[in-house]
Amino acid sequence: MAHDSKSDLGRLFDERYLSGDGFFPWMNEYEDTLELCDTAEEELRGQLSAGAEDLFDAYKDYSDRITEQKCRECWVQGMAQGIRMTAEAFLAGE
């Protein structure tokens, strides 16, 4: 199923799950990893020329976009699978 930005599941993902960072059940591990990533980024930026820093910023932007698209599609596929399984269970009378 390709991502359709107008699909009900896609809108539900955007409205519910992209609204904040408070939905990680493993929040401490997430925050620790985020801090490590920020530290590594600062160290890397300190070693880059101006042109390389622009390229790095572009890379981060593209990478963030890809990650968001993957997360959205995985979420939509998971919800669709759950809905199909629920419908099958009700139709089978279980």
Side-chain angles (χ1 to χ4, degrees), residues 21-94:
D21 289 324
F23 57 90
F24 291 101
W26 55 90
M27 196 60 158
N28 290 336
E29 181 181 349
Y30 172 79
E31 288 174 348
D32 291 345
T33 304
L34 187 59
E35 187 176 330
L36 290 170
C37 186
D38 289 344
T39 301
E41 181 178 338
E42 286 176 25
E43 289 178 19
L44 178 60
R45 282 188 186 282
Q47 299 177 21
L48 296 175
S49 66
E53 194 168 346
D54 291 343
L55 182 60
F56 179 66
D57 287 336
Y59 169 80
K60 280 190 59 180
D61 182 52
Y62 299 143
S63 180
D64 288 347
R65 287 187 210 174
I66 289 169
T67 299
E68 182 180 328
Q69 291 169 1
K70 286 179 180 179
C71 287
R72 180 184 291 114
E73 187 61 24
C74 287
W75 189 87
V76 167
Q77 290 294 322
M79 285 294 292
Q81 180 65 29
I83 291 166
R84 286 190 296 270
M85 290 171 62
T86 301
E88 184 178 328
F90 278 105
L91 292 174
E94 297 177 16

Side-chain angles (χ1 to χ4, degrees), residues 16-24:
R16 170 67 179 98
Y17 288 97
L18 292 181
S19 62
D21 289 324
F23 57 90
F24 291 101

